[in-house]
Amino acid sequence: SPWESGDGTNAALSHTVVANFTKLVRTHNLRFGADLRVYRGFGNRFPQAVSPDLAFSNLWTKGPVDNSPAAPVGQELASMLFGIPNGSMQLAASYAIQSRYLGFYIHDDFKLTRKLTLNLGLRYEKETPLTERYDRMVGGFAENEPSPIEAQARANYARSPIPELPLDQFRVRGGLRFVNSGGLGRNQFQTESNNFLPRVGFSWEVGPKTVVRAGIGLFYDLVGVNRSEALQAGFSQSTPIQPSLDSGLTFIATNANPLPSGLLQPLGAAGGLSTNLGQGIEFYPAKRLNGYASRWSFGLQHQLGEYLLEASYVGNRGTRLAMDRSLNETPAQYLSRSPVRDQATIDYLSAQFANPLRGTNPIYGANTSRAALLRPYPQFGGISMQEPIGYSWFHSMQARVEKRFSKGYTFGLSYTLSKAMEAVSLINAVDTVPYESLGGLDRPHRIAVSGIYEFPFGKGRQFGAGMPAPLEFLAGGWQLNAVIIYQSGNALGFGNALFAGNIADIALDSSQRNADRWFNTEAGFNRVPAQQLASNYRLFPLRFGGVRGDSQHRWDLSAIKNFRIVERARAQFRAECFNALNHSIFNDPNTAPTNTAFGRITGTQAQARTFQLALKLEF
């Protein structure tokens, strides 16, 4: 569970009742039952606010002007040495959340003929909304309600409006709503009540040794305790560290005294629309839709002597996948479409004006940028919500060869050729439609080989069945196991990079690739910090299928020896070796063009060769 940290601060508890029944009626094999669950999560059970969480940014040390690009290294350290911190300190509320799950199903394996079986099933699922024992949760966002500070903010703005935003269009609307107040119920969101999951399949014996199988079904995801956080803005109160309120002319926060005005105290629901002014907020939509997957397969199995041959097509479509969407961004029409750094647009959006929010709350400074004034909700920082607008799709060819255990050995070989695509993120925060790209889990090729071999020596084996007991104890009953895996690496992306070359030149041949130069860093990437893109509408792709991280090569071996001590007792000795060839599996290379480690790999993601010995006694 995401709520269980193991340190006693967070904990999770679930209660489950499952009932399954089977009834045979002539050619029908009926199965039906129920699945009832109660999920509970407990968090922040002990106070955690003991000191501020200090961070150091390049905001106050980059130059010569305030919108200059940051250097790759050094400026954060300079902020620390100057004693200018960023960060925050949070007073975190505890929580005790709960959701319930109900599931009912009926399934029928219907034998139409001796060679044809039809599989029909239907499942119904209902998940209750998330509640908190003492109603300490956000209940949504009042996007059109005037903020308590709007009147004063508009009066301030009238003294110095910007040309792009006439006074009659300047609004300070919106704010958080809370459960069990303002006409809302106790639920953080509402859930669906029409989640029916049909499943259909068949098995057809084409010949004595050939079978065709196919099936399709729906599978819903959860949105309760297992997939949600107890959003507690207002009950958990964060106090940001603000070094300066006048754009760096003077500094009021230092390393020695990062919070000179003290901590903001949580007001809970009483804070109303003023909760977290000047800070980021997040909320769930009023009704949360369950994401679901449509899965289907069509396969052929054939027995050839001692071998089973199988080939299948397997597909999956994910629908209504939850993804974060930002609601408080500078509108897209003000962003640059230039393929190179557009300093004029950067200067235009970062230009400073008198902050109309100054005086409505101590958190606001004297000045603000044009970009901030043009946002829909200028009184807040980032505003994010989860929307079920993501989707994904997956297609694969899966082939398998298996030799059943006989003559002292078994063997299996499987190969998967696949492609995974997804649209679960926005490439620009101002977008409303998710960006389609290769999936983060896309692995085009996967090969797995496994086998077990029993040495033909000892009691019950081909050789040495009558060997003396001491020799049998040492040499008889050995078994060797092996698992070999190869898997393609993941597709890489380069962020909002400035690229002026041929994309086909980025990938390097395997003979040219090494940990110090994993791809062609000179293919056309602009690596000059002062020339990087900013305030632009990104068009550079999210991932590249031809530029991938390291593939996985792994050999795991084990030897097992069984001993019979007496009639009712036996022992088993296991010697296991993981990553037997000691093959390194590298982390992804650095893909930030301005980083000094660009194109280099600086770590591994797999353990070195590891041995494990075990002795088990059964009696």
Side-chain angles (χ1 to χ4, degrees), residues 204-339:
W204 176 33
E205 185 181 338
V206 180
K209 297 184 178 182
T210 304
V211 177
V212 174
R213 291 186 173 88
I216 185 171
L218 292 183
F219 303 85
Y220 278 91
D221 195 7
L222 301 177
V223 295
V225 170
N226 282 4
R227 290 291 185 274
S228 302
E229 295 183 28
L231 302 182
Q232 293 187 292
F235 299 96
S236 291
Q237 183 63 58
S238 177
T239 304
I241 297 173
Q242 296 176 284
S244 175
L245 295 177
D246 55 10
S247 302
L249 295 178
T250 61
F251 291 94
I252 59 174
T254 65
N255 289 350
N257 186 16
L259 296 167
S261 300
L263 293 173
L264 298 175
Q265 296 302 311
L267 299 177
L273 301 184
S274 296
T275 301
N276 273 29
L277 287 175
Q279 302 182 55
I281 58 175
E282 58 180 321
F283 64 95
Y284 293 117
K287 184 170 184 177
R288 291 194 69 188
L289 304 178
N290 296 81
Y292 65 88
S294 307
R295 302 173 186 169
W296 58 89
S297 65
F298 180 87
L300 175 69
Q301 285 186 336
H302 179 73
Q303 183 180 348
L304 183 64
E306 296 180 337
Y307 290 87
L308 174 67
L309 310 180
E310 181 178 4
S312 303
Y313 160 66
V314 178
N316 181 88
R317 171 79 182 191
T319 306
R320 301 194 321 198
L321 305 181
M323 52 175 280
D324 289 332
R325 181 184 169 195
S326 176
L327 303 183
N328 203 27
E329 300 294 330
T330 303
Q333 65 263 31
Y334 297 105
L335 301 179
S336 172
R337 259 60 174 189
S338 172

Side-chain angles (χ1 to χ4, degrees), residues 370-421:
R370 178 184 274 112
L373 287 173
L374 292 172
R375 293 186 304 192
Y377 307 99
Q379 75 274 30
F380 291 112
I383 301 178
S384 65
M385 67 172 292
Q386 282 195 357
E387 281 194 321
I389 59 175
Y391 54 95
S392 65
W393 62 102
F394 171 81
H395 300 282
S396 69
M397 185 280 291
Q398 301 179 10
R400 181 167 67 100
V401 178
E402 179 182 328
K403 181 192 176 296
R404 303 297 174 87
F405 191 85
S406 64
K407 300 178 181 178
Y409 74 98
T410 181
F411 169 81
L413 168 66
S414 64
Y415 170 67
T416 300
L417 173 66
S418 64
K419 186 172 186 178
M421 300 286 291

